[in-house]
Amino acid sequence: MRGLFLVAKVAISRAAYSFDCEYSYIVPDEMKPDIQNGSRVIVPFGNGNRRTIGFVTRMYETPEFNEKLKPLLKLIDKESLVTDEMLRIIFWLKENTFCTFFDAYKTVVPTGFSYNFSQHYSLANTCIPDDELDEKELNIINFMRSAESQREVDNFLDFTAKPRLKKIVTGLIDKGYIQEADKLKRRVGDETVTMVRLSDEYLASLEAGNSVPLTQKQKLVVNLLEDCSSASVKEVCYMTNCTSSLLKRMVQKEIIAEYKYEVMRNAIGVTGECSDPESIKLNEEQQKAYEGIMSLVESGKPAGALLYGVTGSGKTAVFFRLISSALRRGKTALMLVPEISLTPQMLSSFKTYFGGSVAVLHSSLSLGQRTDEFKRIKNGEAKIVIGTRSAVFAPLADIGVIIMDEEGEHTYKSETSPRYHARDVAIQRCGFHNAVLVMASATPSLESFYYAKNGRFHLFEMRKRYNDAVLPEVEIVDMQQEAEAGNDSLFSRILMNKIGENLKKGEQTILLLNRRGFNTYVSCLDCKKPLACPKCGIPLTYHKKNNKLMCHYCGFAMDNVSVCPECGSDHLHTGGVGTQRVEDELLKAFPGVRILRMDADTTYSRYSYEEGFKSFEKGEFDIMLGTQMIAKGLNFPNVTLVGVVSLDKALFTGDFRSYERTFSLITQVAGRSGRGEKAGFAYLQTFVPDHYVLNLAAQQNYDEFYEQEIALRRSLTYPPFCDICVIGFSSPMESKAIEASDWFVARMSGYIKEKGIKIPLRALGPAPCTLERINNKFRYRLILKCKNSKAFRDVISYMLTEFYKNKSFVKVNIYADINGDIGL
């Protein structure tokens, strides 16, 4: 009876979207015991059989042998890094975000597990008859004989630069004169310590009654290892006062044996004695929300819940109780936060209640730390994961609850491929695990609140602050009146007075300005032109600390100038305000004041968030000044004053979500005030004091804001009454970006009519993006109002494939993004 042949479907790395699919390969017999779905493999790909890394998407057996199928060459992973659930997520990401299989795989698996793959060539250990080689073959052999290093050989045999060489080298390999070898190097290796134990040879000698002569120090080492069976080299040296060279000699004499032991790189720090989360006392509103959500968890069915609670209402206490209850039921839990800045304070609270069972995942960890945290989660050592957007892919088993804090934050949406929203991935995971997704915020997204109002999600509300603390008094300050009264300062008189009072009382202040730098532009008074980025055409921001003009979009930087590069005039004018200038003005007004500035310029190091917030909490700073990273989720009981220096520009960004984001930012940052026993105050400085969004935010009136905004969305047909798909085009040549966008519209229209596809669709554009040029690429976009259905996604997928096949657009980049930003 003929046997069955095992066939593996493989997704290839570095595949373009137009040919990204599953390719079939025969699994050799020697790989069958170890290969799994999700395992990475090396395969021959294309006409030239170029060795390429891929991963197995699925396998099946067949009695038919297909001679056209190539065999797998090498198995990289004997244990797959992705579970069956994560394979499903990878397929979901490909369909819903229009990415490649491998883009999805690299999103699910930390970068530290990736491999660098290269091929090396060397002369075979055999006699090579020169008279049997033609001139080209002989030139290659002679070069390899005289080469001084492997790198020199690899550079010479670079087929990308010299494609004709490949055929000659392949012929020499077939003749057995050149050897080909694959080299795999993992991006980050495992962290190990060198351990020692008594060797098998030494133990066998003792059993046979043969004594082994030992020096006095060697006896100390042997006695120690007899007591504890094994120890690290460092421990043995410390305990016996010997040197590592002594241990090496003992290894050579086969008295002891060395081996490597993997240790995990610590990402969460030291954990002390834990408090019982069940000891947390909930008030009536908290208890009602907790019991309602727990009833959903206990139902064993997937569900979504929106926890709408005002700032300071105690949502975090509910989170702890929910997670504790999930753990008691044998489940795991996932906690998502929108910003890295929130992670240190949240992690500290989690360590207090859950100790070492917590793992943390965010981009500020080193590659090694992320890799080890992934291992801890996957092997079940960590039952709770806390992290930012990418933590939604944590390999937890048997999830009971997923919590998204500040669920309306735009940072939960990825702006690079794959362009997923963490909420959508969380919903998929809850469906797989029959878990509950808890979305929490004082300012929920309009879409989530609409769905909760209409029964798609369960709605739980907490309208009072914890311990009956009072919401801060918020006052709108008209900066136009301040200017008319002769105040040309960045600060209104009342805010400056309140800051002074706070300093005298020893209370703390938070100031928000969502622009970093010193001045946001420098312009020439003669030619009327701003000093702009040469790659983007956008005004450069002046940074006083390094005396440079910088572009915040492409990273371009240049030394500050005293004359205009365009006309040579020295009549330069600086304008606009950044956090550095605000800091300068505060220091002039209040000499000796201790200011903690938190923005992208001061928080680039790995532990800057944690160190900064801890210092502020301890009272080492009087004022915390920063961008939006300080606006949400932070809890400092001694903060009694919040000042919003300016947020007017945020209202007019061109995105239909600009009002929602501005309302949320003001409401949230004002909510940082008065969270302890002392009353809180907030002052909102603006040149548009009558704007309804600012007034509703000052009143903390989310319900009224929602009613007005949802009516506007309904009348203009914006989410949640439709989906928005942005098709973006960018090219170094503006004419090509325009041509590509026009082609896309015409071809899509023709395809829909030709196939008789019935989908709701309204196209806006194509037109230039708000920022038309970034990093020397012209940007155009097409906005599609649609319904995110399978039929619609199939149309977009077909169009992307056709676009990539069109050789006219090889220098045009394209992307499709559903429900992403349209502002820039």
Side-chain angles (χ1 to χ4, degrees):
M1 181 178 176
R2 295 180 62 188
L4 294 174
F5 299 97
L6 184 61
V7 177
K9 290 284 190 178
V10 177
I12 305 299
S13 63
R14 298 182 182 177
Y17 191 85
S18 56
F19 60 87
D20 182 53
C21 57
E22 299 170 277
Y23 294 90
S24 297
Y25 289 89
I26 289 290
V27 179
D29 290 340
E30 63 271 18
M31 293 186 192
K32 288 180 180 178
D34 297 317
I35 195 167
Q36 302 172 14
N37 289 339
S39 294
R40 283 173 296 181
V41 290
I42 295 177
V43 298
F45 185 71
N47 294 331
N49 288 329
R50 179 170 57 90
R51 285 171 165 79
T52 305
I53 293 178
F55 73 93
V56 177
T57 56
R58 54 197 172 98
M59 293 182 285
Y60 65 91
E61 291 183 323
T62 177
E64 302 291 332
F65 180 73
N66 187 342
E67 294 181 354
K68 294 182 180 179
L69 295 186
K70 303 171 186 177
L72 300 177
L73 298 179
K74 184 180 181 66
L75 178 63
I76 298 175
D77 301 316
K78 291 189 176 180
E79 181 181 347
S80 175
L81 294 172
V82 294
T83 61
D84 289 341
E85 180 203 4
M86 284 297 108
L87 272 178
R88 285 176 50 172
I89 293 290
I90 287 171
F91 276 86
W92 182 88
L93 286 171
K94 177 170 173 58
E95 180 189 339
N96 286 268
T97 69
F98 312 108
C99 67
T100 64
F101 277 115
F102 228 83
D103 278 343
Y105 181 91
K106 290 188 294 184
T107 301
V108 168
V109 176
T111 305
F113 286 104
S114 63
Y115 279 89
N116 293 321
F117 174 64
S118 56
Q119 289 175 267
H120 299 285
Y121 301 91
S122 59
L123 293 174
N125 189 19
T126 184
C127 179
I128 302 176
D130 291 0
D131 55 348
E132 293 183 9
L133 305 177
D134 62 29
E135 183 180 355
K136 292 180 179 178
E137 291 176 327
L138 188 58
N139 285 339
I140 291 173
I141 294 296
N142 286 335
F143 179 86
M144 294 179 71
R145 285 170 174 163
S146 61
E148 295 182 358
S149 67
Q150 182 64 51
R151 176 176 291 183
E152 193 175 346
V153 173
D154 293 339
N155 291 338
F156 179 71
L157 299 181
D158 181 3
F159 300 141
T160 56
K162 306 163 191 169
R164 294 181 181 178
L165 273 179
K166 185 165 188 177
K167 186 175 181 181
I168 305 171
V169 173
T170 301
L172 290 169
I173 292 172
D174 293 341
K175 292 176 182 179
Y177 300 149
I178 289 181
Q179 295 179 136
E180 187 178 28
D182 299 331
K183 184 178 180 181
L184 277 171
K185 184 178 180 182
R186 212 178 89 184
R187 183 79 177 269
V188 174
D190 295 327
E191 184 81 0
T192 59
V193 294
T194 304
M195 306 285 289
V196 291
R197 58 176 176 80
L198 296 176
S199 70
D200 294 337
E201 291 79 6
Y202 175 79
L203 294 174
S205 296
L206 293 182
E207 288 182 9
N210 300 324
S211 62
V212 178
L214 300 171
T215 66
Q216 190 61 37
K217 286 204 170 183
Q218 287 175 341
K219 287 179 182 178
L220 292 174
V221 173
V222 169
N223 291 339
L224 175 65
L225 295 178
E226 283 177 342
D227 289 339
C228 60
S229 73
S230 66
S232 70
V233 168
K234 285 185 177 180
E235 289 172 331
V236 172
C237 291
Y238 176 77
M239 298 292 289
T240 63
N241 198 28
C242 72
T243 62
S244 56
S245 57
L246 172 74
L247 298 183
K248 286 180 181 177
R249 290 194 296 273
M250 293 179 73
V251 170
Q252 292 170 355
K253 293 179 179 179
E254 297 185 337
I255 300 170
I256 61 175
E258 265 186 358
Y259 65 98
K260 298 291 185 181
Y261 179 78
E262 184 180 358
V263 294
M264 297 297 180
R265 285 156 281 219
N266 192 338
I268 67 168
V270 179
T271 57
E273 205 170 309
C274 295
S275 301
D276 184 2
E278 296 301 311
S279 65
I280 298 173
K281 302 298 181 184
L282 303 181
N283 62 27
E284 186 178 344
E285 281 190 329
Q286 290 172 316
Q287 188 68 29
K288 186 176 179 181
Y290 164 74
E291 291 174 356
I293 296 171
M294 274 310 301
S295 68
L296 298 176
V297 174
E298 290 165 356
S299 72
K301 297 177 181 178
L306 178 63
L307 179 57
Y308 166 44
V310 299
T311 56
S313 58
K315 294 183 288 295
T316 305
V318 178
F319 300 160
F320 291 146
R321 289 290 301 274
L322 288 171
I323 291 170
S324 174
S325 297
L327 295 183
R328 289 205 318 273
R329 291 171 56 84
K331 303 283 188 177
T332 60
L334 174 59
M335 174 83 196
L336 299 176
V337 293
E339 299 259 7
I340 295 173
S341 60
L342 302 184
T343 312
Q345 212 175 40
M346 188 70 78
L347 179 60
S348 176
S349 300
F350 267 77
K351 284 160 58 176
T352 299
Y353 290 109
F354 302 106
S357 63
V358 180
V360 60
L361 291 174
H362 57 73
S363 59
S364 280
L365 299 180
S366 68
L367 289 180
Q369 286 176 322
R370 279 183 72 88
T371 301
D372 286 351
E373 289 293 86
F374 183 91
K375 292 177 188 175
R376 290 182 61 231
I377 300 164
K378 194 170 186 297
N379 66 27
E381 182 182 336
K383 302 295 183 183
I384 305 166
V385 175
I386 177 173
T388 49
R389 180 180 63 225
S390 60
V392 75
F393 300 107
L396 285 167
D398 205 8
I399 298 173
V401 62
I402 298 177
I403 298 171
M404 286 183 67
D405 194 20
E406 306 300 348
E407 66 85 30
E409 277 294 288
H410 71 280
T411 49
Y412 281 124
K413 179 72 166 67
S414 170
E415 296 178 358
T416 57
S417 183
R419 290 177 163 82
Y420 67 92
H421 196 293
R423 179 178 55 240
D424 297 331
V425 178
I427 289 172
Q428 294 296 313
R429 299 204 69 181
C430 286
F432 185 88
H433 292 275
N434 290 319
V436 173
L437 171 62
V438 179
M439 299 162 284
S441 182
T443 53
S445 66
L446 267 287
E447 293 90 335
S448 293
F449 202 68
Y450 175 81
Y451 294 139
K453 287 275 191 180
N454 288 274
R456 183 169 171 180
F457 300 140
H458 300 266
L459 179 60
F460 302 93
E461 301 182 66
M462 299 196 309
R463 299 278 181 170
K464 298 177 183 178
R465 277 193 155 189
Y466 189 68
N467 282 340
D468 295 322
V470 180
L471 285 168
E473 292 184 24
V474 183
E475 182 176 329
I476 294 178
V477 183
D478 186 348
M479 294 303 287
Q480 189 66 44
Q481 290 184 0
E482 291 287 315
E484 291 171 357
N487 179 16
D488 59 355
S489 165
L490 301 178
F491 297 97
S492 60
R493 290 163 294 178
I494 187 169
L495 179 55
M496 193 63 81
N497 290 335
K498 288 293 183 180
I499 293 173
E501 289 176 14
N502 248 31
L503 291 172
K504 289 177 182 177
K505 291 188 292 184
E507 296 172 4
Q508 292 173 302
T509 301
I510 289 179
L511 297 175
L512 173 72
L513 176 65
N514 213 19
R515 289 298 299 266
R516 60 191 174 101
F518 191 84
N519 292 112
T520 55
Y521 67 89
V522 180
S523 61
C524 175
L525 295 177
D526 289 339
C527 70
K528 312 300 182 186
K529 292 182 179 178
L531 273 63
C533 172
K535 297 180 180 180
C536 306
I538 299 166
L540 295 166
T541 299
Y542 174 60
H543 287 246
K544 186 177 180 180
K545 187 173 182 179
N546 57 6
N547 197 31
K548 286 188 179 294
L549 296 165
M550 301 175 67
C551 176
H552 292 171
Y553 293 94
C554 72
F556 171 82
M558 60 181 279
D559 292 333
N560 191 22
V561 295
S562 57
V563 297
C564 174
E566 291 289 331
C567 68
S569 168
D570 59 359
H571 296 157
L572 298 181
H573 168 71
T574 58
V577 179
T579 49
Q580 290 181 14
R581 185 177 166 193
V582 173
E583 182 181 23
D584 256 28
E585 192 150 326
L586 284 169
L587 289 170
K588 289 176 184 175
F590 305 105
V593 66
R594 300 170 301 171
I595 301 172
L596 172 66
R597 181 159 60 87
M598 299 289 285
D599 56 29
D601 296 325
T602 62
T603 56
Y604 49 82
S605 69
R606 186 174 300 163
Y607 303 108
S608 52
Y609 294 101
E610 185 173 3
E611 292 167 357
F613 291 145
K614 277 185 177 178
S615 298
F616 189 71
E617 190 171 19
K618 290 177 182 177
E620 296 174 11
F621 293 94
D622 306 305
I623 298 173
M624 178 156 57
L625 162 67
T627 53
Q628 66 181 20
M629 66 175 66
I630 68 168
K632 300 187 177 185
L634 301 173
N635 184 25
F636 301 110
N638 197 38
V639 170
T640 56
L641 176 64
V642 165
V644 178
V645 180
S646 176
L647 272 183
D648 291 352
K649 285 186 178 180
L651 285 167
F652 312 110
T653 60
D655 192 323
F656 70 92
R657 295 188 179 92
S658 61
Y659 284 4
E660 179 183 357
R661 287 178 179 163
T662 305
F663 177 90
S664 175
L665 193 57
I666 294 171
T667 303
Q668 293 281 0
V669 73
R672 300 312 103 202
S673 177
R675 298 175 72 90
E677 297 178 356
K678 303 168 187 174
F681 300 88
Y683 292 89
L684 169 56
Q685 300 185 161
T686 177
F687 284 91
V688 285
D690 296 328
H691 201 291
Y692 81 93
V693 171
L694 303 184
N695 281 274
L696 290 174
Q699 298 165 24
Q700 305 269 301
N701 191 345
Y702 177 82
D703 296 278
E704 179 62 26
F705 171 76
Y706 167 79
E707 293 299 335
Q708 293 204 36
E709 187 69 7
I710 206 71
L712 184 63
R713 299 269 187 100
R714 184 183 286 109
S715 65
L716 297 176
T717 316
Y718 276 110
F721 303 102
C722 75
D723 292 294
I724 298 285
C725 180
V726 175
I727 312 295
F729 308 86
S730 64
S731 173
M733 296 176 62
E734 185 175 16
S735 59
K736 276 296 179 184
I738 295 171
E739 181 187 347
S741 58
D742 289 340
W743 175 91
F744 192 97
V745 173
R747 183 71 188 91
M748 182 175 65
S749 178
Y751 176 71
I752 290 173
K753 290 177 183 177
E754 175 189 328
K755 297 295 182 182
I757 299 171
K758 304 294 183 184
I759 53 175
L761 190 62
R762 183 183 299 173
L764 305 176
C769 295
T770 306
L771 301 180
E772 189 173 343
R773 181 166 62 99
I774 290 182
N775 203 14
N776 281 331
K777 287 190 176 181
F778 291 90
R779 305 162 68 240
Y780 279 70
R781 67 184 173 199
L782 172 67
I783 297 174
L784 301 175
K785 291 185 177 182
C786 58
K787 180 175 176 58
N788 184 10
S789 63
K790 178 71 164 59
F792 172 76
R793 293 194 298 271
D794 286 345
V795 169
I796 299 301
S797 181
Y798 169 81
M799 286 302 306
L800 291 174
T801 302
E802 291 297 297
F803 184 91
Y804 281 113
K805 289 178 180 177
N806 192 326
K807 294 182 180 179
S808 301
F809 304 134
V810 291
K811 292 188 177 180
V812 181
N813 294 324
I814 187 174
Y815 70 86
D817 187 7
I818 295 182
N819 293 329
D821 283 347
I822 65 172
L824 298 180

